[in-house]
Amino acid sequence: MKTNPGRFFEDYSLGEVIVHAVPRTVSGGERALYHALYPARHALHSSDEFARACGLPAAPLDDLIAFHTVFGKTVPDISLNAIANLGYAEGRWLKPVWPGDTIRSESTVIGLKQNSNGTSGVVYVRTRGLNQHGEAVLEYVRWVMVRKRDPEAPAPEAVVPDLKKSVPADAIVLPEGLDFTRYDTTLVGEAHRWGDYAVGERIDHVDGVTVEEAEHMLATRLWQNTAKVHFDRTQRPDGKRLIYGGHVISLARALSFNGLANAQMIVALNAGAHANPCFAGDTVRAWSEVLDKAETGAPGVGALRLRLVAVKDGAAPFALKDEAGKYLPEVLLDLDYWALMPI
Amino acid sequence: MKTNPGRFFEDYSLGEVIVHAVPRTVSGGERALYHALYPARHALHSSDEFARACGLPAAPLDDLIAFHTVFGKTVPDISLNAIANLGYAEGRWLKPVWPGDTIRSESTVIGLKQNSNGTSGVVYVRTRGLNQHGEAVLEYVRWVMVRKRDPEAPAPEAVVPDLKKSVPADAIVLPEGLDFTRYDTTLVGEAHRWGDYAVGERIDHVDGVTVEEAEHMLATRLWQNTAKVHFDRTQRPDGKRLIYGGHVISLARALSFNGLANAQMIVALNAGAHANPCFAGDTVRAWSEVLDKAETGAPGVGALRLRLVAVKDGAAPFALKDEAGKYLPEVLLDLDYWALMPI
Amino acid sequence: MKTNPGRFFEDYSLGEVIVHAVPRTVSGGERALYHALYPARHALHSSDEFARACGLPAAPLDDLIAFHTVFGKTVPDISLNAIANLGYAEGRWLKPVWPGDTIRSESTVIGLKQNSNGTSGVVYVRTRGLNQHGEAVLEYVRWVMVRKRDPEAPAPEAVVPDLKKSVPADAIVLPEGLDFTRYDTTLVGEAHRWGDYAVGERIDHVDGVTVEEAEHMLATRLWQNTAKVHFDRTQRPDGKRLIYGGHVISLARALSFNGLANAQMIVALNAGAHANPCFAGDTVRAWSEVLDKAETGAPGVGALRLRLVAVKDGAAPFALKDEAGKYLPEVLLDLDYWALMPI
């Protein structure tokens, strides 16, 4: 058979490095599409002038363009036969991605654990995105539950990696040259700086977006993500197309501009759960909670650790979990990340 | 509260200059998206070669890309709490916008008049779009009806600016170097030149476009326009998403290619009314009327003042107003502008 | 009348050259949109680095971007009043199209034959796409059935061009510098090379895409294709918008990546039939058959002649024609082309 059936649980071996296919050169076209697909307004990614005033040579592409591009390439090798996308950890943005860069991805299998039912298992990979100079632009750990092809295949020795609960502030990598001492909040649209946010503070981002099929499919294809359930309504018994979880991440992050406009760059992904599926017709909203704060070595730059929650129609204010600790049905996403902010 | 509640009527003061947020660098990506979103075919904006034959260094971005980009930035400060977008006047395009330019906006409050009911008022602003060199690329006056936060807030002294009914032909600013003496109508697709149009002439542009939710949302987001009613179906009691009026302007302008293919550049906006709301599913058509003609100082370049009317399903030919002078329900847009044409 | 009514059968004369309107400068924006509109993943068009490793100066735009751009320009002159798009032949890609190129089109009328009913006729044109240097980038023959304006207009002398059943392998034009000796299948995503495919082999490409109205309209507008039936739901009695046949070509070609990932460049179009109409809501799948194989003069480069068939919901495996030789109702497209592959 010439087509790619995807890998099954028994096809992974510990320590294996998987080189993912289809390198991709990005341009101003991806930026324009990102602005059309999401209500993204962070000034550092929108304006070359603003980025230069912050010490960068030009506006980098949105940090989530880098994430989606790197992630999309892993799908044919990692998650084509996945039953569930279980989690993220130890994500760090290592270099900005600029128009003209060519991005590719590779993953190392760092953990394997067969489920007790014997028909599936959990695969842990550390994925790195690389640019045309061979420099890492992004790395993160993801673990997914993958079907076995043959339930009789022997279980591998169980190895579960020891993952950090969150990226320590001193492990954050700052873009070379970043300097917020001349940062102009007027051009950003909000006056609130790092010092204005307190740990425990919660922000309702107010705005909402009703999602269309065409939008999430355009976005998901743009990242060359090939998972069938996003595009083909015959894949699920209910005839619905499941929206790529990364689409919800980008929507929520863009919505969080209203209240976190100065949280300019995402520099670390601590954890993330796609709590419930999202479908076309849902109206997505977002709220954030400040989890932690840290200083950084760059002039005028502070870091804020944020929980970003996406919810849909019918969610109560700051909806998250029920008393049993289970995500409420209206909760779509619970993401934990570090962003940079002017002090 | 960290989120932007928008301004209310009592938050504006006469003479105040509002610097709008989020400068934006545009590229070939915005041009490609414009061609995907609208049936735009004007050769000067489509082809670098054609633009060079007309004395320009390259093809500028569509004049309405400039308009929407500048306009979108004003929404969070001017029209987030607007009840109605009442009118435009004295609009002039002052410099072409090129790929690579960074655009920002600022507005001066030039008029304020509280309504007799005491709960709202009309705000007049003169908005300017600026490029990265600080040069004005566009200016226009807009007035909107804005809610008061506190009905008890005192009314400001009423000041209604004295606005020109239309931009005088001699106030039109011509792009530097523009020269239509070598203009090739074959490459444009129509033979009709400035001399072929007569004042009073009306043109039915024949074509129609049925609008989808995904399209108008992609477009409106692309201009970083944040008005909730365009994106969130829970904002209106009828569950409909209101289409950004500028989307209808661009649709109608692009449709007007068929009959006005040589009306290459929009150089002035004299007046404009969004007569009725547009919703997804509507099929939009357009017709034009020649209102005036003028010569210009540029070689081979004439100016045509045009009324551009967008209508939807069920409109009679050249539908506009009823006997009482009220817009017919099928009329979406009544726009008055100057365009440049080869003599 | 100022608008373009399109040409009718009696408006064409044998040997006439029609210069089509609206030259178009393409950029990375068109590439990004192509990746958003279609699940395109061929590495040579995705990555500048990969293209350079194959001897090209950078990644050319997708071969079908060139085709659609050239084709779209012909619509106002050739197929605005067409009853049916009957066929393609002798198509050859002659030069890659790069970001920054400006493309225009011209067609020569090479055949005319009035139908026996006297109300329509078949027009054969050879269309060439040209870049800003006047170099041909693409040529193909297309024939369409066109209405007569006046049934009484005299029939022209019937001339039916003698067209090749397929482009001979030695007439294929190879992109300058193309060299597959350092070709890396890992980065492409599939190991199957030219030697792994046998004439007669059929490949089910497995994946499917459910099509939305917004998507096909964005795509068709992007190519400045003005045929009314694609955009205006009032054009057909059933209220449906007919999907541009080229949208199905691009969908099927992109889907064929899964099983033909190394069929990097389309270099010839031998024949093509839009067997049945496609509408929004259809889920499109594709299968291929290897029709022929040939060596080429370029290092490491072989050619594969492929039948690409697009089908929709309900199609049986490898659906094509019924016993009477008529296309089955689920078949949308039957395309015959040459592609280049590493030996």
Side-chain angles (χ1 to χ4, degrees):
Chain A
M1 195 166 72
K2 294 274 195 323
T3 51
N4 173 24
R7 284 166 171 246
F8 293 86
F9 180 66
E10 61 266 44
D11 299 330
Y12 297 92
S13 58
L14 199 69
E16 179 187 9
V17 176
I18 303 169
V19 175
H20 304 297
V22 196
R24 167 77 167 275
T25 305
V26 290
S27 77
E30 277 76 9
R31 175 182 290 154
L33 264 165
Y34 198 82
H35 280 102
L37 290 163
Y38 307 109
R41 306 215 302 136
H42 288 92
L44 196 71
H45 297 103
S46 177
S47 164
D48 283 345
E49 299 298 307
F50 189 89
R52 280 195 270 269
C54 294
L56 302 181
L61 295 186
D62 197 284
D63 313 304
L64 292 174
I65 293 181
F67 177 77
H68 296 311
T69 304
V70 170
F71 182 100
K73 304 193 178 322
T74 70
V75 170
D77 300 314
I78 307 296
S79 46
L80 210 61
N81 298 309
I83 303 162
N85 196 22
L86 297 172
Y88 305 97
E90 300 188 6
R92 294 191 303 165
W93 278 255
L94 303 169
K95 285 255 177 195
V97 172
W98 313 100
D101 278 359
T102 300
I103 305 301
R104 56 193 176 86
S105 304
E106 55 183 51
S107 297
T108 306
V109 180
I110 61 168
L112 289 170
K113 185 173 186 299
Q114 184 165 310
N115 287 329
S116 52
N117 63 16
T119 64
S120 60
V122 178
V123 180
Y124 296 79
V125 292
R126 187 178 303 274
T127 296
R128 294 198 315 156
L130 301 157
N131 67 16
Q132 69 276 21
H133 309 299
E135 300 163 334
V137 297
L138 171 66
E139 63 175 23
Y140 62 89
V141 172
R142 175 163 78 119
W143 55 107
V144 293
M145 192 186 299
V146 180
R147 262 184 288 271
K148 288 176 76 176
R149 185 190 294 105
D150 171 14
E152 305 302 313
E157 191 192 353
V159 174
V160 174
D162 185 25
L163 297 169
K164 295 190 182 71
K165 285 241 163 164
S166 86
V167 175
D170 60 10
I172 288 173
V173 177
L174 298 164
E176 200 183 319
L178 193 71
D179 178 345
F180 281 169
T181 53
R182 291 185 298 150
Y183 188 100
D184 178 357
T185 55
T186 306
L187 287 177
V188 169
E190 277 180 15
H192 323 297
R193 289 166 170 271
W194 185 81
D196 299 320
Y197 291 87
V199 173
E201 181 177 358
R202 296 191 304 179
I203 301 151
D204 177 350
H205 298 300
V206 182
D207 302 313
V209 171
T210 308
V211 182
E212 298 293 310
E213 298 281 15
E215 291 172 342
H216 76 82
M217 293 200 295
L218 287 169
T220 309
R221 265 192 298 256
L222 184 60
W223 321 122
Q224 299 178 313
N225 180 329
T226 59
K228 298 182 211 301
V229 287
H230 307 319
F231 302 107
D232 178 350
R233 66 166 181 198
T234 69
Q235 289 290 313
R236 289 169 54 102
D238 63 6
K240 289 183 174 180
R241 278 162 277 178
L242 180 70
I243 292 179
Y244 163 47
H247 190 63
V248 178
I249 294 177
S250 277
L251 264 181
R253 160 72 176 161
L255 288 169
S256 79
F257 177 89
N258 198 350
L260 282 165
N262 291 299
Q264 287 291 354
M265 301 188 89
I266 302 181
V267 282
L269 176 61
N270 300 310
H274 300 290
N276 284 289
C278 182
F279 299 106
D282 288 347
T283 301
V284 177
R285 296 173 199 286
W287 63 269
S288 293
E289 179 181 356
V290 181
L291 298 177
D292 200 358
K293 297 179 67 173
E295 295 182 354
T296 81
V301 180
L304 219 54
R305 184 176 159 206
L306 294 157
R307 158 175 276 163
L308 173 61
V309 179
V311 299
K312 64 174 182 175
D313 316 61
F318 303 109
L320 191 65
K321 294 181 179 176
D322 63 16
E323 289 175 14
K326 199 168 168 286
Y327 284 112
L328 293 165
E330 299 84 13
V331 174
L332 304 173
L333 172 75
D334 181 12
L335 199 80
D336 179 339
Y337 71 103
W338 282 104
L340 301 181
M341 219 181 221
I343 286 176
Chain B
M1 196 167 70
K2 293 275 194 325
T3 51
N4 173 24
R7 285 167 170 244
F8 293 86
F9 181 65
E10 61 266 43
D11 299 329
Y12 297 93
S13 58
L14 200 69
E16 181 187 8
V17 176
I18 302 169
V19 175
H20 304 298
V22 197
R24 168 76 168 275
T25 305
V26 289
S27 77
E30 277 76 8
R31 174 182 289 155
L33 264 166
Y34 198 83
H35 280 101
L37 290 163
Y38 307 109
R41 307 214 302 136
H42 289 92
L44 196 71
H45 297 103
S46 178
S47 164
D48 282 347
E49 300 298 307
F50 190 90
R52 280 196 270 270
C54 294
L56 302 182
L61 295 186
D62 197 283
D63 313 303
L64 292 174
I65 293 182
F67 177 77
H68 296 312
T69 305
V70 170
F71 183 98
K73 303 193 178 323
T74 70
V75 169
D77 299 313
I78 307 296
S79 44
L80 211 62
N81 298 309
I83 302 162
N85 196 22
L86 298 172
Y88 305 98
E90 300 188 4
R92 295 191 304 165
W93 278 255
L94 303 169
K95 286 255 178 196
V97 172
W98 313 100
D101 278 359
T102 300
I103 305 301
R104 56 191 175 87
S105 304
E106 55 182 51
S107 297
T108 305
V109 179
I110 60 168
L112 289 170
K113 185 172 186 302
Q114 184 166 309
N115 287 329
S116 51
N117 63 16
T119 65
S120 61
V122 179
V123 180
Y124 296 79
V125 292
R126 187 179 303 273
T127 296
R128 294 197 315 156
L130 301 157
N131 66 16
Q132 69 275 21
H133 309 298
E135 299 164 336
V137 297
L138 171 65
E139 63 174 24
Y140 62 89
V141 172
R142 175 162 78 120
W143 55 106
V144 292
M145 193 186 298
V146 181
R147 264 184 287 272
K148 288 175 76 175
R149 184 190 294 107
D150 172 13
E152 303 304 312
E157 191 192 351
V159 174
V160 175
D162 185 26
L163 298 169
K164 294 190 183 70
K165 285 240 163 167
S166 86
V167 175
D170 60 10
I172 288 172
V173 176
L174 298 164
E176 201 183 318
L178 193 72
D179 178 346
F180 280 169
T181 53
R182 292 186 298 150
Y183 189 101
D184 178 356
T185 55
T186 305
L187 287 177
V188 169
E190 277 180 14
H192 324 297
R193 289 165 170 273
W194 185 81
D196 299 320
Y197 290 87
V199 173
E201 180 175 358
R202 297 191 304 180
I203 301 151
D204 178 349
H205 298 299
V206 182
D207 301 313
V209 172
T210 308
V211 182
E212 297 294 310
E213 297 282 14
E215 291 171 342
H216 77 82
M217 291 200 296
L218 287 169
T220 308
R221 264 192 298 257
L222 184 59
W223 321 122
Q224 299 177 314
N225 179 330
T226 58
K228 298 183 210 302
V229 287
H230 307 319
F231 302 107
D232 178 351
R233 67 166 181 196
T234 69
Q235 290 289 312
R236 289 168 52 101
D238 63 7
K240 290 183 175 179
R241 279 162 277 178
L242 180 70
I243 292 179
Y244 162 48
H247 190 63
V248 178
I249 294 177
S250 277
L251 264 181
R253 161 70 176 163
L255 288 168
S256 78
F257 177 90
N258 198 349
L260 283 165
N262 291 298
Q264 288 290 354
M265 301 188 89
I266 302 182
V267 282
L269 176 60
N270 299 310
H274 299 291
N276 284 290
C278 182
F279 299 105
D282 289 347
T283 301
V284 177
R285 297 174 197 286
W287 63 269
S288 293
E289 180 180 357
V290 181
L291 297 177
D292 200 358
K293 298 178 65 172
E295 295 181 354
T296 81
V301 180
L304 219 54
R305 185 177 158 203
L306 294 158
R307 157 175 276 163
L308 172 62
V309 178
V311 300
K312 65 174 180 174
D313 316 60
F318 303 109
L320 191 64
K321 294 182 180 176
D322 63 17
E323 289 176 12
K326 199 168 167 288
Y327 283 112
L328 292 165
E330 298 84 14
V331 174
L332 303 173
L333 172 76
D334 181 12
L335 199 79
D336 179 340
Y337 71 102
W338 282 103
L340 300 181
M341 218 181 221
I343 287 175
Chain C
M1 195 166 71
K2 294 274 192 328
T3 51
N4 174 24
R7 284 166 172 246
F8 293 86
F9 181 65
E10 61 265 44
D11 299 328
Y12 297 92
S13 57
L14 199 70
E16 179 187 9
V17 176
I18 302 169
V19 175
H20 304 298
V22 196
R24 167 76 167 275
T25 305
V26 289
S27 78
E30 277 76 9
R31 175 182 289 155
L33 264 165
Y34 198 83
H35 281 101
L37 289 162
Y38 307 109
R41 307 215 301 137
H42 288 92
L44 196 72
H45 297 103
S46 178
S47 164
D48 282 346
E49 299 298 307
F50 189 90
R52 281 195 270 268
C54 295
L56 303 182
L61 295 185
D62 196 283
D63 313 303
L64 292 175
I65 293 181
F67 176 78
H68 296 312
T69 304
V70 170
F71 182 99
K73 303 193 179 323
T74 70
V75 169
D77 299 313
I78 306 296
S79 45
L80 210 61
N81 297 310
I83 302 161
N85 196 23
L86 298 172
Y88 305 97
E90 300 187 5
R92 295 192 304 166
W93 278 255
L94 304 170
K95 285 255 176 196
V97 172
W98 313 100
D101 277 0
T102 300
I103 305 301
R104 57 192 176 86
S105 303
E106 55 183 52
S107 298
T108 306
V109 180
I110 60 167
L112 288 171
K113 185 173 186 301
Q114 183 165 310
N115 288 328
S116 53
N117 63 16
T119 64
S120 61
V122 178
V123 180
Y124 296 79
V125 292
R126 187 178 302 275
T127 296
R128 294 197 315 155
L130 302 158
N131 67 16
Q132 68 276 21
H133 309 299
E135 300 163 335
V137 296
L138 171 66
E139 63 174 24
Y140 63 89
V141 172
R142 175 163 78 118
W143 55 107
V144 291
M145 192 186 299
V146 181
R147 262 185 288 274
K148 289 176 74 176
R149 184 189 294 105
D150 172 13
E152 305 302 314
E157 191 191 352
V159 174
V160 174
D162 185 26
L163 297 170
K164 295 189 181 71
K165 285 241 165 166
S166 88
V167 175
D170 60 9
I172 288 173
V173 177
L174 298 164
E176 201 182 318
L178 193 71
D179 178 346
F180 281 168
T181 53
R182 293 186 297 150
Y183 189 100
D184 178 357
T185 56
T186 305
L187 287 178
V188 169
E190 277 180 14
H192 323 297
R193 289 166 171 272
W194 184 81
D196 299 321
Y197 291 88
V199 173
E201 181 177 358
R202 295 191 305 179
I203 300 151
D204 178 350
H205 299 299
V206 182
D207 301 313
V209 171
T210 308
V211 182
E212 296 294 310
E213 298 281 15
E215 291 171 341
H216 77 82
M217 292 201 295
L218 286 169
T220 309
R221 265 192 298 257
L222 184 59
W223 321 123
Q224 299 178 314
N225 180 330
T226 58
K228 298 182 210 301
V229 287
H230 307 320
F231 302 107
D232 178 351
R233 67 167 181 196
T234 69
Q235 290 289 313
R236 290 169 53 102
D238 63 7
K240 289 183 176 179
R241 278 162 277 179
L242 181 70
I243 292 180
Y244 163 48
H247 190 63
V248 178
I249 294 177
S250 278
L251 264 180
R253 160 72 176 162
L255 288 168
S256 79
F257 177 89
N258 198 350
L260 283 165
N262 291 298
Q264 286 292 353
M265 301 188 90
I266 302 182
V267 282
L269 176 61
N270 299 310
H274 299 290
N276 284 289
C278 183
F279 299 105
D282 289 348
T283 301
V284 176
R285 297 173 198 287
W287 63 269
S288 293
E289 180 180 357
V290 180
L291 298 177
D292 200 358
K293 296 179 67 172
E295 294 181 354
T296 80
V301 180
L304 220 55
R305 183 176 160 204
L306 294 157
R307 157 176 277 163
L308 173 61
V309 178
V311 300
K312 64 174 181 176
D313 316 61
F318 303 109
L320 190 65
K321 294 181 179 176
D322 62 17
E323 291 175 11
K326 197 168 169 286
Y327 283 112
L328 292 165
E330 298 84 14
V331 174
L332 303 173
L333 172 76
D334 182 11
L335 199 80
D336 179 339
Y337 72 103
W338 282 104
L340 300 181
M341 219 181 220
I343 287 176

